[in-house]
Amino acid sequence: MQYINLNNKTILITGAAGFIGANLTLKLLSLYNNIIIIGIDNMNDYYDVSIKEWRLTQIEKRAKKQKASSWLFIKGSIADKELINQIFTQYKPNIVVNLAAQAGVRYSITSPDAYIESNLIGFYNILEACRNSYDNKYEEEGKADGTESSEDNKRYSGVEHLVYASSSSIYGCNKKIPYSVDDRTDNPVSLYAATKKSNELFAYAYSKLYNIPSTGLRFFTVYGPAGRPDMAYFGFTNKLRNNETIQIFNYGNCRRDFTYVDDIVEGITRVMGGAPERATGEDGLPVPPYAVYNIGNSSPENLLDFVTILQEELIRARVLPEDYDFEAHKELVPMQPGDVPVTYADTSALEQDYGFRPNTSLRDGLRKFAEWYKEFYKV
């Protein structure tokens, strides 16, 4: 593994107004006083845009406090090849974190075009831009006046590390649990899962062909404050507040490896600073600088237990009244197409290579969500 000092780096974060992208940006601005972060997001209306705007506001506030660092937001799509090439040409990112994607398993059944555009074409554009970043690679040159050049005058040498979001959904209906990065992932059960598997294959091919150091991260059911309203915990909360019935799939027998967003962001930050090395194998052939890791809580929760804790924390935060009749507002229903009965991460590889394992409890995470929800919606 090649250590990368993130100080003085230019970092491109796609999906920067998204749930994970915004939290990552906030963390990087807190950790480093001298970085440049370029964020891009198309701000689509897949879910409430006001949440994305709120996240950007939080980033702006944080950025103003970090005077030595800079933050620039660009509204646009990674599927716009010309725009992506322009960003790479103008800002010359050292680290790229691709979090832009059309998310959601069920939505991929009704709106497949969005997944092809963002998850395949968009990711291809990012890979091509990373590849082309090496075209102008050259040695440090002296200043125009002939004096010795300084650190500031080093020429751009291309992308040092591409980190991108994959998903636990690529494991499909694998019977073996916990899911290991060594398991086969050839049987996706949704288009969303298929696009994420394709991302891993694309990245591997580009790493092998062009020596792009790349790391894929398979996220497991990310949740937390200012998350996506289409996720179960958020959608359940909205419905319960509106006195509607919530549907619990697979009759409550689903188990999910819920992972708090701060743990996800901590994992990404650590991985950003340690890229797979360009190396030669024992057979004398080049080894692609490529890696994949799971990031999950390694503690799957039964869906019925999950909604019970959610209810308790919503009552504690006074989002719901103390006498709320929860039993009257839940319905057990069959499994939905594209869903899987269990997700369970084996994170031993991440722990071994980066010394990190997510550990936020479900109750702690849902408590923070409930408190944010009350404040954001002025309940």
Side-chain angles (χ1 to χ4, degrees), residues 76-286:
S77 170
I78 61 171
D80 184 342
K81 190 177 185 69
E82 183 176 344
L83 175 61
I84 294 302
N85 289 340
Q86 179 184 337
I87 290 172
F88 272 73
T89 299
Q90 183 172 354
Y91 299 106
K92 298 177 174 57
N94 307 108
I95 312 292
V96 178
V97 185
N98 187 64
L99 300 172
Q102 180 57 60
V105 170
R106 297 184 192 104
Y107 189 67
S108 71
I109 296 173
T110 59
S111 304
D113 288 0
Y115 292 78
I116 301 303
E117 178 179 329
S118 180
N119 301 10
L120 297 185
I121 296 174
F123 189 57
Y124 160 75
N125 289 341
I126 293 295
L127 287 169
E128 273 290 286
C130 289
R131 166 197 176 185
N132 293 330
S133 73
Y134 305 128
D135 290 348
N136 296 320
K137 189 174 182 179
Y138 35 75
E139 298 295 326
E140 181 180 1
E141 297 178 355
K143 294 181 181 178
D145 60 5
T147 59
E148 186 177 349
S149 60
S150 66
E151 284 292 316
D152 291 338
N153 292 315
K154 283 186 177 180
R155 298 300 185 93
Y156 181 51
S157 58
V159 171
E160 298 174 48
H161 195 187
L162 166 64
V163 180
Y164 63 94
S166 186
S167 169
S168 62
S169 66
I170 71 165
Y171 289 108
C173 288
N174 282 10
K175 303 298 182 185
K176 172 184 165 293
I177 55 174
Y179 297 149
S180 166
V181 291
D182 297 322
D183 294 342
R184 292 178 64 89
T185 54
D186 300 328
N187 299 291
V189 295
S190 70
L191 177 62
Y192 171 69
T195 62
K196 287 301 184 179
K197 174 64 176 179
S198 298
N199 285 175
E200 293 186 6
L201 293 173
F202 281 12
Y204 179 87
Y206 270 74
S207 290
K208 185 174 180 63
L209 290 169
Y210 309 114
N211 259 337
I212 302 172
S214 67
T215 303
L217 299 174
R218 296 172 180 172
F219 300 148
F220 281 69
T221 317
V222 189
Y223 75 101
R228 284 174 24 216
D230 63 315
M231 297 296 286
Y233 69 101
F234 207 135
F236 285 174
T237 301
N238 288 337
K239 288 188 174 183
L240 291 171
R241 276 198 65 224
N242 292 330
N243 211 30
E244 300 174 24
T245 299
I246 62 172
Q247 293 184 328
I248 304 175
F249 296 114
N250 201 30
Y251 305 103
N253 293 319
C254 285
R255 297 170 66 211
R256 291 287 180 267
D257 205 346
F258 296 100
T259 315
Y260 189 61
V261 65
D262 286 0
D263 287 335
I264 292 288
V265 167
E266 176 67 23
I268 296 173
T269 305
R270 294 196 186 200
V271 168
M272 287 170 64
E277 289 191 87
R278 300 178 174 101
T280 302
E282 294 179 359
D283 55 5
L285 298 175

Side-chain angles (χ1 to χ4, degrees), residues 261-336:
V261 65
D262 286 0
D263 287 335
I264 292 288
V265 167
E266 176 67 23
I268 296 173
T269 305
R270 294 196 186 200
V271 168
M272 287 170 64
E277 289 191 87
R278 300 178 174 101
T280 302
E282 294 179 359
D283 55 5
L285 298 175
V287 177
Y290 171 88
V292 174
Y293 297 94
N294 288 333
I295 300 187
N297 215 42
S298 300
S299 180
E301 302 277 355
N302 182 278
L303 203 51
L304 282 175
D305 295 336
F306 158 78
V307 294
T308 297
I309 295 173
L310 175 63
Q311 174 205 10
E312 292 170 353
E313 292 306 323
L314 291 174
I315 290 173
R316 180 185 179 278
R318 298 184 180 178
V319 174
L320 296 177
E322 289 188 16
D323 60 349
Y324 194 87
D325 187 356
F326 181 68
E327 292 300 319
H329 291 85
K330 71 178 182 181
E331 178 186 5
L332 304 181
V333 298
M335 182 79 77
Q336 294 292 290

